[in-house]
Amino acid sequence: MIGGAVNAVETHGWWLASRASGLVALVLVTVSVGIGLTMSGKLMRRPGLSRSLLAIHEQTALAGLVAIAVHGLTLLGDPWLNPGVGGVTIPFAMGFKPFWTGLGVIAGYLAVLLGLSFYARRAVGPRLWRKAHRATVLVYALGVVHALGAGSDASSLWLRAWLIVTGAPIAALFARRVAQGRGRPAPRSRRDAFPSQTPVPALEEGLR
């Protein structure tokens, strides 16, 4: 009986770890993207609150990257799925639901690229970094599609409720940001493009 229990842990432990880390990653990405859209829409204008939100935005993004890495690495130990290194690193190469898992791999790469670009924004330039950072909402969208298409909890009522409760405001915030971007006049000078050099407003500008 003990041997059977150990075997069950060995068989399902990796899958459970990957499942849990994937859900954690989705929650963290959702929170980070939601905060980023809130700040870019200038809905939170108090400096003290903006600094706190910016810190949470950055920390949840980094924690999300860790969870994504754990999600992929623990899949390697799943004896049933047995994806191999190629399955978790090459889009659409996994034998299990290749389209949906491929979207998840792409989302992971985008999350790493866009998340770590925060620390290279001086090198790439504020304008290019801003444009790239706007694509973080795509990480969220791909993560949701991946979870619904390949996740074990796709049919769970609680997951669908979470996606509806969080997805509706994110969609509204994103639509608001797009509308603001279309209505914003082009900057006439470098000073107009970057009106403030103080840390928080400058980073809030970067989130737009």
Side-chain angles (χ1 to χ4, degrees), residues 18-202:
S18 181
R19 173 188 177 190
S21 55
L23 292 172
V24 169
L26 181 61
V27 170
L28 291 170
V29 168
T30 300
V31 173
S32 182
V33 170
I35 292 176
L37 289 172
T38 299
M39 295 182 67
S40 69
K42 298 182 179 180
L43 298 178
M44 301 292 182
R45 303 186 64 88
R46 289 185 295 175
L49 181 58
S50 294
R51 288 188 177 89
S52 298
L53 287 176
L54 185 61
I56 297 173
H57 174 65
E58 181 181 357
Q59 291 163 8
T60 52
L62 291 176
L65 293 182
V66 174
I68 290 172
V70 173
H71 178 54
L73 289 173
T74 49
L75 277 179
L76 293 174
D78 187 341
W80 178 80
L81 193 61
N82 192 25
V85 175
V88 299
T89 58
I90 302 175
F92 313 111
M94 189 180 298
F96 176 75
K97 298 184 177 180
F99 178 74
W100 305 111
T101 53
L103 293 181
V105 174
I106 293 174
Y109 282 133
L110 279 177
V112 172
L113 180 64
L114 298 174
L116 297 183
S117 70
F118 176 84
Y119 302 99
R121 63 190 186 282
R122 292 180 181 275
V124 302
R127 189 184 300 272
L128 179 59
W129 180 76
R130 282 201 308 271
K131 290 181 179 180
H133 197 71
R134 291 169 185 166
T136 52
V137 71
L138 184 59
V139 175
Y140 164 76
L142 287 174
V144 169
V145 174
H146 168 67
L148 291 175
S152 304
D153 298 291
S155 60
S156 301
L157 181 60
W158 64 266
L159 179 61
R160 295 189 177 187
W162 162 262
L163 294 177
I164 292 173
V165 169
T166 58
I170 285 180
L173 288 169
F174 179 69
R176 186 176 188 271
R177 188 178 72 173
V178 171
Q180 287 178 331
R182 290 177 177 176
R184 184 182 298 127
R188 292 171 294 178
S189 67
R190 182 174 179 82
R191 183 174 181 179
D192 291 333
F194 307 99
S196 173
Q197 298 301 317
T198 55
V200 171

